[in-house]
Amino acid sequence: MTQFHRRSLFVGTAAFGLAVALRPAGAQAPAATPAGAPAPAAGPFTLAPLPYAANANEPHIDAMTMELHHDRHHAAYVSNLNAALKDHGDLAKKPLEEMLANLASVPEAIRTTVRNSGGGHANHTMFWQIMGGQGGEPTGELKAAIDRDLGGVSKMRDDFNAAGGRVFGSGWVFVTVDKAGKLALTTKPNQDTPLMDGNRALFGNDVWEHAYYLKYNNRRPDYLRAWWNVVNWPKIAERYAAAKAGTLTI
Ligand code: MN
């Protein structure tokens, strides 16, 4: 498994920094902290900086929302996950996707925290990667898979927005990808993730109020529609290729 995960570190460009953040410390040895990165947290997991400026998704997602979302909300998931793992050294060495796929084997005393904070770390790490783009349309093999499995890009977008709108309270809407490259639309409550089912999130949108309330107030459907303008399809295509190759981790 070690080789599998080391190889997976080099999928994509922005994936490098993100993947390092997801590896337990000691699983490999990144030589230096990138300039401007926050000081490493005391624990196996660290918060990678946003892969673009906080205002990169303006006007659709405002910089203040991005800053609070990454620097406070995501940071808290990382910090709480590390705190839970403090006295569980062997577990803390496992890659996050393995931990989340085997929650039943996590000690009961920390299982809920690993589920919520570990899920939150995984979901947000994916989320930052697949934004910062120009929207538009997917192409090539990814478009073909969306046509085949989800009825085309336009229907997929409508169904995704409708499903995201129906999530009661806090949660996520995802397009998942299995090892054969088959896509499916799903939602999850709280910080649950398709990783818990042994699948991968190809991409997903956060429908917690913290993701949109400053700009959109209670108008979640408006946020869901606007969000497609910042989706990074080339990055999602990289994730699709990695999923089919068996190298997509988070
Ligand atoms: Mn969030």
Side-chain angles (χ1 to χ4, degrees):
M1 289 308 283
T2 302
Q3 284 306 317
F4 172 88
H5 290 293
R6 283 189 179 155
R7 220 171 40 239
S8 69
L9 290 178
F10 300 98
V11 175
T13 45
F16 177 74
L18 292 163
V20 166
L22 290 162
R23 295 308 97 197
Q28 73 286 308
T33 303
F45 294 100
T46 56
L47 178 67
L50 280 174
Y52 36 73
N55 66 1
N57 296 309
E58 296 259 14
H60 306 288
I61 302 178
D62 58 288
M64 173 77 80
T65 293
M66 291 297 296
E67 283 168 7
L68 290 169
H69 201 170
H70 176 272
D71 300 356
R72 308 283 180 85
H73 292 277
H74 188 174
Y77 295 125
V78 174
S79 162
N80 292 337
L81 178 63
N82 284 334
L85 292 171
K86 189 166 63 70
D87 299 322
H88 300 270
D90 285 348
L91 182 62
K93 291 193 185 95
K94 288 192 177 180
L96 184 55
E97 66 275 16
E98 278 186 33
M99 230 183 275
L100 294 170
N102 299 285
L103 280 172
S105 68
V106 172
E108 200 174 351
I110 61 167
R111 193 176 301 152
T112 298
T113 302
V114 170
R115 178 178 196 142
N116 292 337
S117 296
H121 185 30
N123 282 336
H124 289 87
T125 300
M126 172 279 297
F127 189 53
W128 310 135
Q129 269 192 47
I130 58 89
M131 295 194 295
Q134 303 297 316
E137 302 285 323
T139 56
E141 207 182 346
L142 174 59
K143 179 187 183 303
I146 292 171
D147 289 347
R148 181 192 65 213
D149 297 333
L150 299 173
V153 175
S154 179
K155 181 177 188 320
M156 180 269 295
R157 214 179 256 132
D158 289 347
D159 290 348
F160 187 100
N161 290 351
R166 282 193 302 266
V167 171
F168 181 74
S170 298
W172 289 76
V173 51
F174 296 102
V175 168
T176 63
V177 56
D178 71 12
K179 286 171 185 149
K182 185 169 171 49
L183 307 183
L185 181 66
T186 191
T187 62
K188 293 283 185 189
N190 305 313
Q191 293 297 349
D192 283 3
T193 142
L195 296 167
M196 293 167 184
D197 309 323
N199 280 327
R200 295 290 183 266
L202 178 62
F203 65 91
N205 194 356
D206 186 342
V207 298
W208 284 58
E209 285 184 344
H210 67 224
Y212 63 86
Y213 210 86
L214 287 183
K215 183 176 176 73
Y216 294 93
N217 308 135
N218 62 327
R219 300 185 307 279
R220 189 194 290 177
D222 291 352
Y223 160 71
L224 279 157
R225 274 193 296 274
W227 178 78
W228 295 99
N229 291 300
V230 302
V231 162
N232 185 338
W233 284 116
K235 173 54 68 179
I236 294 171
E238 279 178 27
R239 292 177 61 82
Y240 183 66
K244 288 185 70 175
T247 56
L248 183 63
T249 54
I250 296 291

